[in-house]
């Protein structure tokens, strides 16, 4: 499937080495201020080639809005956006035309579709995520109107875990490090792996602040389930945790429960979600990225004819995909929360009556 969401639904199109990538975002309420400069700034955070910690591929990632916006405001009709590819080097992939890259989706895409687009992975390339960031930026503009924010940063690289999470500091870090005390060691780990023609994994920590209680559509569209679905749908993501996640399985109930008082919860082990519904506390999502499978060491693999070969990859690749991936995690989280907000508007008769009895309703 190439679409995501229910009330706020987006679809993406395009391949890594095709003419363009883009998205269609349907369900944006009319009258939302569309700040094109802000949308571009979000894409700039994700775009490649900004530092030695990322792929050397240079893309401007200039977004162009094709429809759904008039005089700076959403019209209520689908918003189409396109981002043209300008720096493809398809010849870098000629040596893998008939070879499956270990750790990549080449093998599974070929066995599913019987067609091989070997240029940078085609549709399975993380290049597609730029379109998700564009859609997520509009979702963030919607959330901003309701004083809901979505931020993120890198909490761990190559097993080097941060202890203190400063989301404002992460915005200024070239690797979006949440813990300034661990940033130097995390950078060194990335560069050491890069020099060895290898790669490292990392963890993105996403924080959603200001979301009201009541978001989530049990039983089969739970907020935590959809957030996990959104994150697991990203390239290289292998695990997702809500709140304490795996640590919860190692505790007693007396340690894991979040006591409630008149002014709110005394702790937040649940990560802001209970029974698949937001409880009004901060929503915390940890997203685990595997090491970038594109490495420049000789590897064992097979060809499309199942012949065993050894090969060395060429091209330009991220030594730690989690860095740019955290921006995409933010975008997906924003799209999920915006979708849940729109779905929640019709959850009660009171909510429906408040809207349709309003004098200004059109």
């Amino acid at each position: 499937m190439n679409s995501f969401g229910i009330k706020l639904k987006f679809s993406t199109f395009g391949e890594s080495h095709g003419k363009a990538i883009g998205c269609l975002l349907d369900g944006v309420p009319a009258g939302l201020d569309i700040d094109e400069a802000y949308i571009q700034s979000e894409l700039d955070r994700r775009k490649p080639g900004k530092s030695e910690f990322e792929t050397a591929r240079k893309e401007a990632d200039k977004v162009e809005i094709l429809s759904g916006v008039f005089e700076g405001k959403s019209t209520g009709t689908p918003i189409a956006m396109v981002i043209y590819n300008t720096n493809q080097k398809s010849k870098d992939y000629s040596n893998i035309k008939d070879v499956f890259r270990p750790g990549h989706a080449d093998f599974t895409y070929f066995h599913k579709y019987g067609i091989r687009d070997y240029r940078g992975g085609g549709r399975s390339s993380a290049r597609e995520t730029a379109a998700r960031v564009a859609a997520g930026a509009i979702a963030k503009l919607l959330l901003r109107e309701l004083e809901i924010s979505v931020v993120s940063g890198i909490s761990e690289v190559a097993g080097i875990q941060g202890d203190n999470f400063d989301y404002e500091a992460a915005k200024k870090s070239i690797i979006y490090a949440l813990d300034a005390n661990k940033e130097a060691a995390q950078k060194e780990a990335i560069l050491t792996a890069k020099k060895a023609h290898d790669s490292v994994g990392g963890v993105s920590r996403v924080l959603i602040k200001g979301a009201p209680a009541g978001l989530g559509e049990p039983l089969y569209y739970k907020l935590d389930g959809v957030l996990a679905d959104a994150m697991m749908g990203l390239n290289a993501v292998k695990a997702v945790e809500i709140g304490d996640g795996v640590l919860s399985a190692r505790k007693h109930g007396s340690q894991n429960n979040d006591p409630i008082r008149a002014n709110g919860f005394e702790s937040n082990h649940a990560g802001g979600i209970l029974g698949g519904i937001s409880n009004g506390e901060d929503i915390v999502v940890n997203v685990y990225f595997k090491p970038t499978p594109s490495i420049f060491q000789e590897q064992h693999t097979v060809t499309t004819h199942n012949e065993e070969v050894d090969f060395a990859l060429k091209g330009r690749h991220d030594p730690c995909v989690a860095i740019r991936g955290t921006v995409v995690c933010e975008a997906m989280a924003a799209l999920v929360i915006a979708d849940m907000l729109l779905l929640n508007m019709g959850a009660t008769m009171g909510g429906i009556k408040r809207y349709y009895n309003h004098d200004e309703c059109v």
Side-chain angles (χ1 to χ4, degrees):
M1 296 293 291
N2 296 293
S3 301
F4 187 88
I6 296 180
K7 293 289 287 185
L8 183 65
K9 186 174 184 177
F10 79 95
S11 304
T12 68
F13 63 86
E15 292 84 30
S16 175
H17 286 236
K19 184 174 182 179
I21 55 174
C23 65
L24 187 70
L25 185 61
D26 196 5
V28 178
L32 176 67
D33 288 328
I34 303 298
D35 185 343
E36 293 190 41
Y38 174 74
I39 297 171
Q40 187 60 55
S41 72
E42 288 292 278
L43 281 161
D44 290 345
R45 294 175 61 213
R46 192 220 72 100
K47 74 179 182 181
K50 299 188 300 297
S51 77
E52 61 186 331
F53 301 99
E54 302 169 351
T55 173
R57 180 173 178 171
K58 296 283 187 180
E59 290 283 359
D61 279 357
K62 179 67 176 176
V63 64
E64 181 181 348
I65 298 177
L66 303 178
S67 68
V69 178
F70 181 68
E71 295 183 341
K73 291 187 180 293
S74 60
T75 63
T77 58
I79 297 176
M81 293 181 282
V82 66
I83 302 164
Y84 291 99
N85 294 325
T86 60
N87 192 224
Q88 311 99 308
K89 290 187 178 181
S90 299
K91 67 178 185 300
D92 286 348
Y93 296 90
S94 58
N95 71 321
I96 64 161
K97 181 177 182 296
D98 300 308
V99 177
F100 296 123
R101 296 170 296 172
H104 280 272
D106 302 351
F107 183 89
T108 49
Y109 264 63
F110 179 76
H111 282 80
K112 181 175 180 64
Y113 297 110
I115 295 175
R116 178 126 165 87
D117 184 351
Y118 59 88
R119 306 164 303 163
R123 183 65 177 158
S124 68
S125 169
R127 177 81 187 127
E128 177 268 350
T129 61
R132 304 191 196 205
V133 172
I138 292 180
K140 283 187 176 183
L141 290 173
L142 189 157
L143 297 182
R144 183 189 293 177
E145 297 284 336
L146 301 172
E147 299 183 348
I148 299 171
S149 65
V150 182
V151 293
S152 76
I154 296 298
S155 63
E156 179 180 332
V157 170
I160 303 169
Q161 299 179 344
D163 300 310
N164 301 299
F165 304 135
D166 186 336
Y167 293 90
E168 288 302 312
K171 294 177 182 178
K172 302 179 180 69
S173 166
I174 196 66
I175 63 166
Y176 305 121
L178 285 166
D179 190 338
N181 294 323
K182 298 296 178 66
E183 182 174 3
Q186 290 171 343
K187 285 181 175 178
E188 183 179 358
I190 295 171
L191 294 181
T192 298
K194 183 179 180 180
K195 290 175 183 176
H197 304 300
D198 213 335
S199 63
V200 294
V203 182
S204 166
R205 184 179 177 88
V206 181
L207 178 69
I208 303 165
K209 296 185 70 69
L215 301 184
E217 303 294 320
L219 290 172
Y220 300 110
Y221 205 65
K222 291 183 176 183
L223 178 54
D224 46 2
V226 178
L227 282 168
D229 183 15
M231 302 308 170
M232 286 297 293
L234 298 179
N235 309 65
V237 171
K238 300 303 289 184
V240 179
E241 292 179 329
I242 307 296
D244 284 359
V246 172
L247 292 177
S248 300
R250 303 169 185 168
K251 298 178 180 178
H252 290 85
S254 56
Q255 298 170 310
N256 192 63
N257 288 347
D258 297 312
I260 313 172
R261 306 303 292 173
N263 61 347
F265 290 81
E266 293 182 340
S267 58
N268 191 23
H269 300 297
I273 301 174
L274 291 169
I277 302 172
S278 61
N279 64 11
E281 294 294 307
D282 291 347
I283 298 171
V284 181
V285 186
N286 292 305
V287 186
Y288 292 76
F289 288 84
K290 70 179 182 181
T292 316
S294 296
I295 59 175
F296 304 112
Q297 299 179 9
E298 189 171 270
Q299 300 178 78
H300 301 313
T301 188
V302 296
T303 68
T304 53
H305 302 292
N306 205 35
E307 300 167 335
E308 294 183 353
V309 296
D310 296 338
F311 89 112
L313 190 66
K314 299 178 182 178
R316 302 162 295 174
H317 307 285
D318 291 272
C320 180
V321 73
I323 295 173
R324 293 195 297 131
T326 194
V327 181
V328 190
C329 291
E330 277 185 40
M332 294 304 294
L335 286 159
V336 170
I337 297 299
D339 189 32
M340 291 294 184
L341 285 164
L342 295 173
L343 285 166
N344 197 47
M345 289 172 61
T348 67
M349 283 304 301
I352 294 172
K353 288 179 178 179
R354 278 194 297 274
Y355 178 80
Y356 282 102
N357 291 338
H358 200 290
D359 292 338
E360 296 180 1
C361 177
V362 293

